[in-house]
Amino acid sequence: MVLERTFIAIKPDGVQRGLVGEIICRFESKGFTLVGLKLVQVSRELAEQHYGVHRERPFFSGLVEFIISAPLVAMVWEGDGVVASARKIIGATNPLTAEPGTIRGDFGVNIGRNLIHGSDAIETANSEIALWFLDEELVSWQPSLSGWIRE
């Protein structure tokens, strides 16, 4: 199986609430490999590019204002089926309907402060990774535990 990569961002509310370590732990415990990580104070330009698909929606400006309001943690994770699996780890967009055991189900309270973003498809992941990371900021490596995680 070819390893996938996905883009995950711990939004400003997750950073401000001190959940960075807990969130990273969820992905590490699942067996995914962290290949990119940085703390970012997001520019308005980057925020507008990231949320470009929502540009014509009434909540667009609110999304942009929120994501530039404080630092976020941008990450790239690698693994078998990581895009779909990460979405399950994250939980439903609305924390009030997210399953217990998911990040949003365990820590989220409000849809406008739902802690985390994850790519929704392989194509989206590829474009988001390219938007947030330069190639030289990503590290290809194989953890020594890989043989215990994948056949």
Side-chain angles (χ1 to χ4, degrees), residues 1-18:
M1 179 176 231
V2 176
L3 296 179
E4 295 174 0
R5 286 185 172 178
T6 195
F7 174 74
I8 301 292
I10 303 173
K11 296 179 183 179
D13 53 330
V15 174
Q16 292 287 339
R17 290 179 54 195

Side-chain angles (χ1 to χ4, degrees), residues 24-134:
I24 289 173
C25 185
R26 300 266 179 128
F27 290 94
E28 285 182 324
S29 295
K30 182 69 175 176
F32 296 129
T33 303
L34 183 62
V35 297
L37 172 73
K38 58 185 173 180
L39 182 68
V40 180
Q41 181 63 57
V42 183
S43 68
R44 181 172 302 279
E45 179 184 357
L46 178 56
E48 289 177 354
Q49 286 180 297
H50 179 76
Y51 285 124
V53 68
H54 300 299
R55 188 173 302 281
E56 301 305 319
R57 297 199 168 146
F59 54 83
F60 174 74
S61 64
L63 289 173
V64 170
E65 291 304 319
F66 175 63
I67 205 141
I68 67 173
S69 68
L72 64 69
V73 173
M75 300 177 285
V76 178
W77 288 90
E78 184 177 80
D80 297 333
V82 70
V83 174
S85 188
R87 300 287 292 179
K88 290 179 182 177
I89 292 167
I90 291 168
T93 302
N94 185 344
L96 299 177
T97 60
E99 294 292 324
T102 66
I103 292 167
R104 290 177 176 153
D106 290 350
F107 303 111
V109 179
N110 180 284
I111 195 167
R113 301 290 181 266
N114 65 10
L115 306 169
I116 188 168
H117 165 83
S119 302
D120 63 0
I122 293 171
E123 299 77 24
T124 309
N126 291 337
S127 64
E128 289 177 343
I129 291 167
L131 180 63
W132 289 86
F133 286 87
L134 301 173

Side-chain angles (χ1 to χ4, degrees), residues 33 141-149:
T33 303
W141 67 290
Q142 185 163 336
S144 58
L145 293 174
S146 294
W148 299 104
I149 296 170

